[in-house]
């Protein structure tokens, strides 16, 4: 059974803290994605990666960075958390060369609150 | 950023009613996916439509891709409480998906 796991379901951090969100997939997928989900805005793509050590900016990369040192793991980093980064963060993975055509498998999400 | 607008944003209905959710854009997409997300979970793929005008059925759910591949609809017949969730459309643009704004459906018994 395919699985995408995220390190935390809930996280509370203070403004200015460095925050790491971890995502691991066990499907040997090439592509991995980080989204944030806010009411009325759907899912917005932060960063994605189609190979180890590769990364591409999504639609809202400002204030975030990512790391993909191993194929199965994709980390999202908030260098200095701010209150406007309070959100639900979803990680996803997919196989295939053109990621937009293939099913994305999602983790359960991390609800981050920045105080 | 291309936008996919979904309507309605919220829908609250009684069991047994029919409903339609719309997904509209000014952009053309290569394909379109529909996902359902239940509370505390990530979205799960329901269907992918690829050809303009394509219709796909999944039990009581009917999905249609617009002729111009800019819009899509999801029709649910005789809704059940188990259909409750957030429905998201997502258009494919080569290396990524553009997600819609979402429709939250609540079906009461």
């Amino acid at each position: 059974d395919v699985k995408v796991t995220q390190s935390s379901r809930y996280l509370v951090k203070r403004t200015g803290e460095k925050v790491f969100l971890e995502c691991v997939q066990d499907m040997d997928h090439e592509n991995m994605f980080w989204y944030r989900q806010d009411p009325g805005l759907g899912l917005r793509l932060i960063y994605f990666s189609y190979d180890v050590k590769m990364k591409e900016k999504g639609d809202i990369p400002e204030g975030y960075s990512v790391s993909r040192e191993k194929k199965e793991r994709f980390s999202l980093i908030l260098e200095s958390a701010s209150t406007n980064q309070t959100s639900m963060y979803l990680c996803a993975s997919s196989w295939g060369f053109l990621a937009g055509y293939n099913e994305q498998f999602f983790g359960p999400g991390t609800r981050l609150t920045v105080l | 950023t291309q936008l996919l607008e979904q309507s309605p944003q919220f829908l609250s209905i009684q069991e047994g009613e029919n409903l339609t959710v719309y997904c509209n854009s000014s952009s053309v997409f290569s394909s379109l996916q529909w996902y359902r997300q239940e509370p505390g979970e990530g979205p799960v793929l329901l269907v992918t439509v690829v050809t303009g005008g394509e219709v796909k059925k999944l039990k009581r759910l009917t999905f249609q891709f617009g002729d111009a591949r800019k819009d899509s609809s999801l029709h649910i017949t005789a809704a059940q409480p188990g259909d409750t969730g957030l429905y998201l459309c997502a258009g494919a643009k080569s290396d990524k998906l553009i997600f819609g704004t979402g429709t939250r459906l609540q079906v009461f018994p």
Side-chain angles (χ1 to χ4, degrees):
Chain A
D1 199 15
V2 296
K3 200 154 188 180
V4 179
T5 55
Q6 295 184 227
S7 50
S8 305
R9 295 298 295 265
Y10 299 93
L11 212 51
V12 180
K13 296 291 181 180
R14 297 212 172 270
T15 302
E17 280 193 77
K18 191 168 185 176
V19 182
F20 292 87
L21 302 182
E22 305 285 340
C23 175
V24 178
Q25 51 97 1
D26 65 359
M27 297 163 280
D28 202 33
H29 283 167
E30 293 89 348
N31 311 305
M32 297 189 75
F33 309 83
W34 274 107
Y35 296 90
R36 63 176 284 175
Q37 182 174 30
D38 301 287
L41 297 178
L43 275 64
R44 291 180 293 167
L45 183 63
I46 305 171
Y47 268 95
F48 62 106
S49 167
Y50 49 83
D51 202 353
V52 176
K53 296 193 185 295
M54 304 296 288
K55 60 184 179 183
E56 295 286 337
K57 291 181 180 179
D59 298 318
I60 51 165
E62 296 78 20
Y64 304 94
S65 62
V66 290
S67 172
R68 193 166 180 201
E69 296 297 319
K70 293 185 178 181
K71 190 175 185 180
E72 67 271 18
R73 188 179 297 270
F74 193 34
S75 303
L76 180 69
I77 304 152
L78 286 67
E79 294 290 341
S80 178
S82 63
T83 54
N84 62 13
Q85 292 178 310
T86 291
S87 186
M88 171 69 83
Y89 289 87
L90 289 165
C91 174
S93 70
S94 74
W95 62 274
F97 175 61
L98 293 177
Y101 291 87
N102 300 308
E103 176 179 5
Q104 293 192 9
F105 294 87
F106 285 85
T110 296
R111 183 164 294 281
L112 172 67
T113 301
V114 183
L115 301 175
Chain B
T1 304
Q2 302 97 339
L3 287 177
L4 269 171
E5 294 286 338
Q6 287 184 236
S7 61
Q9 188 176 357
F10 298 98
L11 200 49
S12 183
I13 61 172
Q14 292 293 128
E15 183 175 3
E17 290 186 41
N18 301 333
L19 66 115
T20 302
V21 176
Y22 299 94
C23 172
N24 294 296
S25 175
S26 57
S27 297
V28 176
F29 293 101
S30 308
S31 64
L32 197 131
Q33 301 177 10
W34 283 93
Y35 289 79
R36 180 170 66 206
Q37 183 179 18
E38 298 184 16
E41 302 294 331
V44 175
L45 180 70
L46 295 173
V47 78
T48 301
V49 285
V50 179
T51 307
E54 182 177 2
V55 176
K56 277 193 175 179
K57 292 194 174 184
L58 189 67
K59 297 183 181 177
R60 294 175 294 99
L61 279 61
T62 302
F63 303 85
Q64 183 162 9
F65 201 10
D67 291 340
R69 291 186 287 125
K70 292 182 180 181
D71 54 84
S72 181
S73 63
L74 158 60
H75 182 79
I76 302 179
T77 303
Q80 297 178 1
D83 296 326
T84 293
L86 178 68
Y87 288 81
L88 294 158
C89 63
K93 285 278 191 181
S94 65
D95 57 357
K96 59 184 181 180
L97 286 175
I98 309 297
F99 278 85
T101 49
T103 295
R104 189 165 296 281
L105 172 64
Q106 177 85 49
V107 182
F108 292 98

